[in-house]
Amino acid sequence: MADKDGFKVAKNYHIDKPFAKQGGFYVKGMQDVDWGMKTRLSSIFQPGSGHTVMLAFDHGYFMGSTSGLERLDVVIPPVIDYIDVLMATRGGLRTCISPSSGKAVALRVSCGSSMLDEDLSHEVIGVSIEDAVRMNASCMAVQTFIGADGEKDSLDNLCKTVDAGLKYGIPTMGVVAVGKQMERTSHFFKLATRILPELGAHIVKTYYCDKFEEITAACPVPIVVAGGKKLPEDEALTMCYRAMAEGAAGVDMGRNIFQSLDPVAMVQAVNMIVHKNATDKEAYEFFLHLKNK
Ligand code: R5P
């Protein structure tokens, strides 16, 4: 293993150069995966734009009923038309969401303790690969905790899920967790978003931060941006716009959509930025227009 202090040369992310190994398939870094995995990736990243709008409503797996998600069966269906991927638990999907939505599924497969626990970084894999196949998952989502007590176990969860998914052509999405122990700096996110694809993750979910274009440049797979805590709608749309302009392949938003003053308007505004190259200003104007109708 190289010594940690031995790298004194300044880093060069070649921001001006497009990803080089791109021929043959449009999803970043996925040129050489199997046909079945490519069909699943195509159900996540829309062939027209190459991008994705994921709706995260898996919060209940450790938070119970989150504000805005007290009733998955009531809150989620109205926004489904404007998203590409349902990111959720198998329980949330089976009990509350119609299987006829036609949307891809990012199935949360890792789980741990509840929000009552001080340290949430100790997760296990709680869904078998057979059940992920039964759920027709387009990808499996595993939480990882770089810099936390549970770092090693969470990376083990990721590697085992990648191995299981490779047997059946199901991609794995590595989710970068932030928490009390983890700094939200570009240094931290650069570390995390490179470790996960090196270990085999096909998609990385992370947070927007400074120097985001360096993060997307150094990550050889698509990055989807997490929404995080609820922001005013204009700020959330600006974050979404900047992330896309700086190389993200989409968003995986939860609270900024379902806790919005108007979730159906908000999800359409997000969709405009992700799929139709709208600016944040245009998207916010559209949001206000829909909201005031
Ligand atoms: C975060 O990565 C967890 O999976 C969450 O449960 C969820 O996906 C977060 O969504 P948001 O921060 O956009 O509400």
Side-chain angles (χ1 to χ4, degrees):
M1 184 179 274
D3 65 294
K4 288 189 279 191
D5 303 318
F7 297 96
K8 300 294 183 198
V9 177
K11 290 185 176 168
N12 184 350
Y13 294 92
H14 300 282
I15 305 282
D16 53 325
K17 295 192 179 136
F19 188 65
K21 188 171 177 277
Q22 194 66 70
F25 189 59
Y26 66 96
V27 180
K28 187 178 186 182
M30 297 296 120
Q31 185 179 329
D32 291 327
V33 302
D34 182 71
W35 193 93
M37 192 172 279
K38 283 180 178 155
T39 65
R40 291 188 175 88
L41 289 163
S42 302
S43 72
I44 297 171
F45 299 99
Q46 297 309 296
S49 65
H51 297 155
T52 188
V53 176
M54 297 187 178
L55 177 71
F57 56 100
D58 57 337
H59 306 59
Y61 94 97
F62 74 105
M63 295 173 114
S65 78
T66 319
S67 301
L69 283 188
E70 293 85 353
R71 291 284 302 272
L72 296 179
D73 59 315
V74 173
V75 173
I76 304 303
V79 299
I80 282 185
D81 279 353
Y82 309 103
I83 63 162
D84 305 303
V85 183
L86 301 155
M87 186 205 182
T89 61
R90 59 180 172 179
L93 288 166
R94 279 196 170 110
T95 56
C96 300
I97 307 299
S98 166
S100 61
S101 76
K103 301 296 173 178
V105 165
L107 185 66
R108 167 161 292 285
V109 298
S110 66
C111 59
S113 38
S114 79
M115 62 191 291
L116 300 177
D117 198 334
E118 278 291 300
D119 180 1
L120 294 170
S121 73
H122 296 278
E123 292 201 341
V124 296
I125 295 303
V127 177
S128 67
I129 187 65
E130 290 78 12
D131 206 31
V133 172
R134 234 180 335 259
M135 292 294 293
N136 197 25
S138 291
C139 71
M140 297 179 286
V142 178
Q143 205 81 4
T144 60
F145 299 88
I146 304 296
D149 202 42
E151 174 182 278
K152 188 172 160 213
D153 288 347
S154 73
L155 295 179
D156 187 50
N157 292 338
L158 178 78
C159 293
K160 290 199 166 107
T161 304
V162 169
D163 281 335
L166 285 172
K167 281 189 193 161
Y168 299 95
I170 304 181
T172 296
M173 178 162 80
V175 181
V176 178
V178 289
K180 284 183 195 142
Q181 318 97 313
M182 284 91 90
E183 24 158 12
R184 291 182 180 232
T185 60
S186 62
H187 175 70
F188 164 74
F189 288 122
K190 267 178 195 160
L191 184 69
T193 57
R194 182 57 178 265
I195 289 173
L196 306 193
E198 295 269 358
L199 297 184
H202 304 91
I203 306 166
V204 169
K205 172 177 175 175
T206 192
Y207 290 84
Y208 181 73
C209 63
D210 288 344
K211 300 186 180 167
F212 196 69
E213 70 279 16
E214 294 183 355
I215 288 172
T216 56
C219 179
V221 303
I223 287 189
V224 293
V225 173
K229 284 185 187 148
K230 170 79 174 68
L231 299 167
E233 279 77 1
D234 56 340
E235 289 177 30
L237 291 169
T238 295
M239 179 184 72
C240 172
Y241 173 70
R242 287 193 182 144
M244 295 305 295
E246 293 167 28
V251 297
D252 187 6
M253 275 189 173
R255 286 164 288 181
N256 277 292
I257 290 175
F258 63 73
Q259 289 181 351
S260 167
L261 298 170
D262 186 337
V264 178
M266 185 60 179
V267 73
Q268 290 182 72
V270 169
N271 189 302
M272 275 178 77
I273 294 174
V274 171
H275 286 305
K276 296 175 189 140
N277 295 321
T279 64
D280 47 346
K281 191 165 173 293
E282 288 165 341
Y284 186 56
E285 278 166 13
F286 187 63
F287 166 78
L288 291 177
H289 167 73
L290 291 177
K291 181 175 141 325
N292 296 331
K293 255 188 181 176

